[in-house]
Amino acid sequence: MKKLILGLALTAGTFAFAQQTGNTSSNPVTFGVKGGMNVSSLSKDSGLDDQKSKIGFNAGVFANIPLAASFSVQPEVQYSQYGNKSNYTIGNTKFSASTKLDYITVPVMFQYNLIPNLYVEAGPEFGFMVSAKNKFKNESTGQSNTTDNYKDNLNTFNFGIGLGAGYYFTPNLGLTARYVAGLTDVAKNRPSGSDATRNNLFQVGLAYKFK
């Protein structure tokens, strides 16, 4: 919770700085909203027979702060769904599982405009888990069970690096795409010597700037 409050406070401070900068710059700060689809997965776990991507969504707000003619920084606050689907076997019984990890994320993307309406970006993303659910299903009997308090077993802070691009069809409306590679272990108490499990995410969606 402290990390979440700190992250939101830093973002709010950045937004306030953006507004002040926009009042004095020839290239004004722009604010906007964005949203779209997430395709997420977790890095390979040797205990699982098969792992698949999970579809989710993201939605949030951003401020684009020009730093030079073709260079800007874009802090964001998003609600973003991570997770994956997997299959595993215990004895002769096959099970399937769906993991849903919901985060409030704070990406800070540094963007470079290749042409006025096309940019590439890179930067860190700070994630703060707000909920975690696991749904298990016995493939033989069809019985299923959902664990809602799964968050207590996980690391609620996630740090990743994002790489992406975007194209604005109009001065206001654009298409965005981003890949985020997680660098922190999702598990809270990882047994010594075992491999870390990390988030991986691909996002695609629309962004709208208010001008």
Side-chain angles (χ1 to χ4, degrees), residues 14-35:
T14 303
F15 279 12
F17 171 76
Q19 182 65 59
Q20 182 179 3
T21 303
N23 292 334
T24 59
S25 173
S26 59
N27 296 318
V29 173
T30 54
F31 296 87
V33 295
K34 64 183 304 185

Side-chain angles (χ1 to χ4, degrees), residues 164-181:
Y167 181 83
Y168 276 86
F169 300 100
T170 73
N172 301 92
L173 184 63
L175 177 67
T176 66
R178 182 182 299 163
Y179 175 74
V180 182

Side-chain angles (χ1 to χ4, degrees), residues 38-113:
N38 284 357
V39 181
S40 61
S41 63
L42 295 170
S43 58
K44 181 66 176 177
D45 189 329
S46 59
L48 302 177
D49 299 331
D50 183 34
Q51 294 189 91
K52 302 176 182 178
S53 298
K54 181 177 177 60
I55 303 299
F57 74 90
N58 67 85
V61 297
F62 65 88
N64 189 270
I65 310 168
L67 301 178
S70 300
F71 188 64
S72 63
V73 59
Q74 181 166 296
E76 305 173 3
V77 177
Q78 294 186 20
Y79 188 89
S80 190
Q81 293 184 328
Y82 283 66
N84 80 334
K85 293 182 178 181
S86 58
N87 297 316
Y88 61 99
T89 303
I90 299 178
N92 295 321
T93 304
K94 293 185 177 181
F95 295 86
S96 61
S98 176
T99 300
K100 180 182 177 184
L101 308 176
D102 292 350
Y103 291 85
I104 292 176
T105 62
V106 183
V108 182
M109 294 292 114
F110 295 89
Q111 299 180 344
Y112 178 77
N113 286 80

